[in-house]
Amino acid sequence: MKKLFLLSGLLSISLWTSAQNSYQNHTQLSARIKALSSKFASNVTLQSIGKSKGNRDIWALAISKGNANNKPAIAIIAGVEGTHLAGTELAIQMAEKLAGTSTDSIAKLLDSKTFYFIPSVNPDAQEQFFAKLKFERGGNDTETDDDRDGYINEDSFEDLNGDGIITQIRVEDPTGNFIISKEDPRVLIKADPAKGEKGKYLLLTEGIDNDKDGSFNEDGIGGVNIDKNMTYDYPIFTAGSGDFAASEPETKALLSFLYKANNIFAVLTFGPANNLTEAIKFDRSKTAKRIITGLLEKDASVGEQVSKLYNTQTGLKDAPVLPQTKGNFSQTAYFHAGRFSFTSPGWWAPKVQVAKDSTKKEVNLLTKASDNEEIKYLKWADSQKLSSVFVNWQPVKHPDFAGKNVEVGGIAPYAKMNPPVSYLAESANKHLKFVSALASQMPELQIVDVNTETVSAGLTRVSIKVINTGLLPTYAEIGDKVRWVQKVKTELKLTGNQAIVSGKKINLRSALAAGETQEYSWLISGNGSISIEAGCPTTGAKTVNVSLK
């Protein structure tokens, strides 16, 4: 069955992406998403949850059978960080495969679960990839005064070598603190005085100091980075973070969707952070404060369980260390919306495979002991013969550095985290396999051990047990702290002349751990039958009918 599932998925992806060999702009993505929802209309619904500052739709797909909003859900979010186009492509490929796969295992998942996909939260920023002048842009179309000098966009990039992309400039200068790496002469690293190294170069973004304030390209096109504009740990007075938390329409649209969709059990965000290959450890000092800044103990345990699942299902190795950043969506989804929140770049340059030299000894093609991410990436790119990812250093005349040696070059914008699209199909397969496995482990409530006992004429004692038969808790522990996630509710429903003599009509309790049981009993007067319903949005509801004696 697993082989059939993977084969079907691969065929599905190949059908959708056979004509695509590069990333797509917003118009192309919109057409692709609409085609998906039209082709699989019985299982896929599409809505625009809002507009970007540049008036571009922010699309959300729901993939499920029947009423998607009434089933426990996983949300896959991408493109919050505007420079990460690979995440957008991964999310759409996963949606295409999920909708187009008809195996029994997938059909069963869609019967009981919902999968939300929001593939491009910050479309304004992503459009810069397709512009005449390409540079890495994290901000939307909001105009901002990043250097707070009263002028807007007065010091942007300049294409000094006329190649249509913005890289870096290196300037020979005794005040610089960079040197050329001995491991790879294309890369500059910071000089280490402890090793007797003296700086030789200044390293700056490609451009000139237009406003003559001593800074280069500090106030350019592209306003607020949506992944710095979220409500948790908002980085106030930081360039690109906006005037205040959730100031942007994209931020409001995404958070409104998350808060309204109370059936979302977990969120997977594709972006430049990683808590999946290695789970975040529990730190009691971060949870004992009034403002919690670390995972609660039970949630950290779940994080370890999901991390093992991720590593097993994807088989991905050598992931980069990518800590969470201030004001990002992934942390806001956990600390403020109370959902399990996982994040991964989805793709990274793999460690170069080993080869054997003439003496039959293994030699790692990646420079031994290098911890420089640029060097690692370039070694991989060399092994794949991807020549376009690096611009060789070339001399230019620079008005701000008259008489000095100035060169333009470096890794091309977007290259490090956005490989050629053809490299993403395998990763999309692996991540859908993980998401499917995660959905299969989600909580599920059952009502068991239903007992009735006649106490006297017209008086019956009814008792039940509610058990979580899933492998994960009904919702994150943080959910009870933020008081946004709905508790597990067990409700007794009466008809006719029936009345509750003892016991509560509605019982609410905090999250049920995997395998945990809660027992309830009532004394009920009357005859006929009653119904008992137990559940919450992140588990779905189960009902039993009981005949009174």
Side-chain angles (χ1 to χ4, degrees), residues 58-230:
I58 301 170
W59 297 113
L61 289 159
I63 303 180
S64 186
K65 291 182 179 178
N67 191 330
N69 296 328
N70 285 349
K71 299 176 186 177
I74 295 176
I76 295 90
I77 312 296
V80 189
E81 170 54 64
T83 61
H84 193 231
L85 282 77
T88 293
E89 178 63 28
L90 283 171
I92 295 179
Q93 284 196 24
M94 288 170 66
E96 288 170 343
K97 177 180 176 182
L98 185 63
T101 301
S102 57
T103 61
D104 291 342
S105 58
I106 290 296
K108 185 177 180 181
L109 274 182
L110 297 185
D111 279 334
S112 60
K113 305 292 190 297
T114 293
F115 299 86
Y116 294 116
F117 291 86
I118 305 179
S120 181
V121 176
N122 190 358
D124 294 354
Q126 292 190 328
E127 286 298 285
Q128 197 65 48
F129 181 89
F130 310 97
K132 184 176 180 181
L133 182 62
K134 182 185 293 189
F135 57 86
E136 290 192 1
R137 172 180 165 186
N140 64 359
D141 279 358
T142 296
E143 291 190 336
T144 57
D145 178 13
D146 290 332
D147 56 356
R148 300 179 183 275
D149 62 355
Y151 299 94
I152 293 175
N153 299 343
E154 85 285 353
D155 195 357
S156 190
F157 304 104
E158 284 83 21
D159 185 11
L160 300 178
N161 61 348
D163 62 357
I165 62 175
I166 297 299
T167 51
Q168 294 177 302
I169 57 173
R170 65 183 188 186
V171 184
E172 275 196 58
D173 192 295
T175 66
N177 56 1
F178 285 87
I179 59 174
I180 293 175
S181 169
K182 295 177 181 178
E183 296 178 89
D184 191 324
R186 294 171 293 184
V187 176
L188 269 66
I189 60 173
K190 279 196 172 183
D192 185 353
K195 297 179 180 178
E197 298 171 346
K198 295 181 179 181
K200 185 179 179 181
Y201 290 93
L202 298 171
L203 187 62
L204 306 164
T205 53
E206 185 178 354
I208 62 177
D209 182 9
N210 300 90
D211 54 3
K212 306 304 177 185
D213 64 354
S215 299
F216 285 75
N217 316 130
E218 79 283 357
D219 193 5
I221 299 170
V224 179
N225 185 330
I226 306 307
D227 218 24
K228 291 181 180 179
N229 190 237
M230 297 291 163

Side-chain angles (χ1 to χ4, degrees), residues 312-374:
T312 300
Q313 295 295 323
T314 66
L316 295 170
K317 300 182 183 300
D318 306 312
V321 177
L322 296 169
Q324 301 272 21
T325 53
K326 288 179 176 289
N328 75 0
F329 171 69
S330 177
Q331 292 194 103
T332 297
Y334 176 75
F335 288 104
H336 283 181
R339 318 302 170 87
F340 287 114
S341 185
F342 309 106
T343 180
S344 168
W347 179 92
W348 53 86
K351 189 175 182 179
V352 179
Q353 298 298 311
V354 298
K356 291 186 177 180
D357 64 12
S358 56
T359 63
K360 306 297 182 183
K361 294 180 180 179
E362 288 190 345
V363 178
N364 196 329
L365 296 179
L366 179 63
T367 305
K368 188 176 181 181
S370 176
D371 58 358
N372 185 289
E373 293 298 329
E374 288 192 357

